[in-house]
Amino acid sequence: MKRIAIIGGGISGLAAAYELEQQRSGAELEYVLYEASSQLGGVLRTEHIDGCVVEAGPDSFVTEKPWAADLCRDLGIGDQLIGSNDSDRKTYILTRGRLVEMPDGLMFMVPTKIVPTGLSPLFSWKTKLRMTQELFHPPRAVDHDESVAAFVERHYGAEMVDRLADPLLSGVYGGEAANLSVRAVLPRFAEMERTHGSLGRAMLAARKKMRGSPRKAAPPLFTSLKNGMQSLAETVVSRLRPTSLRTNAAVQAIQAEAGGWIVSAGMQSDYFDGVIVALPSLAAGNVLRMASSELSSELGAVQYSSSITVGLGYDQEVGQTLPPGFGFLVPRSEGRQLLAATFVHNKFPHRAPEDRALLRCFFAGGNADRVWELSEEQIVGIVRKELQEIVGLRAEPLFARVYKWRSAMAQYGVGHLERLERIERLRRLLPGLALAGNGYRGIGVPDCVRSGREAARELVKS
Ligand SMILES: Cc1cc2nc3c(=O)[nH]c(=O)nc-3n(C[C@H](O)[C@H](O)[C@H](O)COP(=O)(O)OP(=O)(O)OC[C@H]3O[C@@H](n4cnc5c(N)ncnc54)[C@H](O)[C@@H]3O)c2cc1C
């Protein structure tokens, strides 16, 4: 009988457990999942308040990455998948205190339509000129990694970093463009530069190619679940054996011994043939301290940032006073605490009843750290003040919830891919060890699901 331990009961660990459960039928296999808290699902947490579906952690995932939706279909809840209301998609950027709509045709920060970008008040004439010049950027064989900020600035100038690249990335990684690796975070753009030089030309070439292929309706940009993201975790849990799940069981250490692994949690130690460490890499480094100090310090060097989401429910009239669209992003240069606000009732169906408006506000990185110690009332107070100043929202919310996530979002710093190579080399020196989670090759839910399932398959095969 092969015994495998999974450390961490977030979606990465749950996906690993589900995969092992699937493989159990043909193989002599047993697994135990250890979760430090009392609840499985990690940051996938949903509250149902006053008819609204309030997401404490992730609210959706990008449709382009198939692994989370595939898992839903495998679980038999494919009919629960919902897409974002892209026909109403409009995102605003706070620019000198005013909300300015992102112009049509922007692919991340690359303009693909001349007229809307040319007319947009989002950019100065200097940046618009840079966009034209960018079309002549020569192909470049870059031999080193660099920050997203440096990369974008080389192509479009500093204003593009401030107005678009940084706010867009803050929403995903909770980090700053100046600290994130272009190769790890925007590999497609790094490749475009290598092959085409100009990102604008590369995008136009890709669009031209697509025009030649049969036209399919574009899938929605974001996917979520009708009853919220937590329902994904709950459905996975319902397919696992309860006797394999140990909650309130924080693992202190794992150690290689006699060709297998000893897992120590509380006063108990147990022997396994393999271990999947499905923790944020910072926490993974801690439990692996005794197994390999070198691996432990490489894992510990992946930076994490903290984030806070605030859910606010209002009467429907509020929804009518807000600008149409999905919400707004706030560049750091605007000097606000908020980084983003989503008008959830517009972005997704099934999130708020007809007579309600639901907002989700977001702080991360330094902005989250600055307000971390404040009480929930004080944080809600800051959010309300900034919403009043930005969108004129004065109404009293019907409910307000604050969710704090300490060091939950990985920051792929410059040199991240090289660090992953070192981590992989060190891991291979420890047979029976697999790593999954958001510290490696994708922070989003789909990549976490993929990493968990791949880790499980690897250990079953080994
Ligand atoms: C606020 C927020 C918003 C996000 N928004 C999105 C989004 O919209 N779309 C998207 O795709 N992604 C989003 N993400 C990212 C994504 O949700 C996470 O990267 C992903 O869910 C992480 O899953 P995980 O299982 O790897 O880690 P976690 O969910 O962090 O789970 C790790 C688990 O390990 C447990 N644990 C820790 N130490 C130990 C130990 N020693 N022993 C046992 N158990 C331990 C923890 O209690 C936790 O339950 C967001 C993240 C946050 C925080």
Side-chain angles (χ1 to χ4, degrees), residues 7-12 34-36 42-44 57-61 249-251 279-280 287 307 309 360 405 408-409 437-438 443-446 448:
I7 323 287
I11 194 60
S12 304
Y34 292 86
E35 164 55 43
V43 302
L44 268 61
D59 69 348
S60 59
F61 46 84
V251 169
L279 299 175
V287 299
S307 45
T309 58
R360 169 182 160 99
W405 301 106
M409 290 176 129
N438 65 11
I443 172 179
V445 173
C448 290

Side-chain angles (χ1 to χ4, degrees), residues 6 16 18 22 57 89 115-116 145 159 164 183 190 203 240 253 256 267 271 298 300 312 327 361 397 399 421 455:
I6 301 162
Y18 179 71
Q22 298 306 101
R89 186 154 72 100
V115 177
D145 196 6
E159 188 180 77
L164 271 187
R183 286 188 176 176
M203 282 289 185
L240 306 176
M267 304 299 282
Y271 181 84
E298 286 288 3
L312 297 165
C361 299
F399 64 82
E421 278 171 25

Side-chain angles (χ1 to χ4, degrees), residues 18 22 68-78 231-233 235-239:
Y18 179 71
Q22 298 306 101
D70 285 349
L71 175 62
C72 291
R73 285 185 276 270
D74 291 351
L75 289 162
I77 54 167
S231 66
L232 168 58
T235 311
V236 177
V237 172
S238 71
R239 307 296 150 82

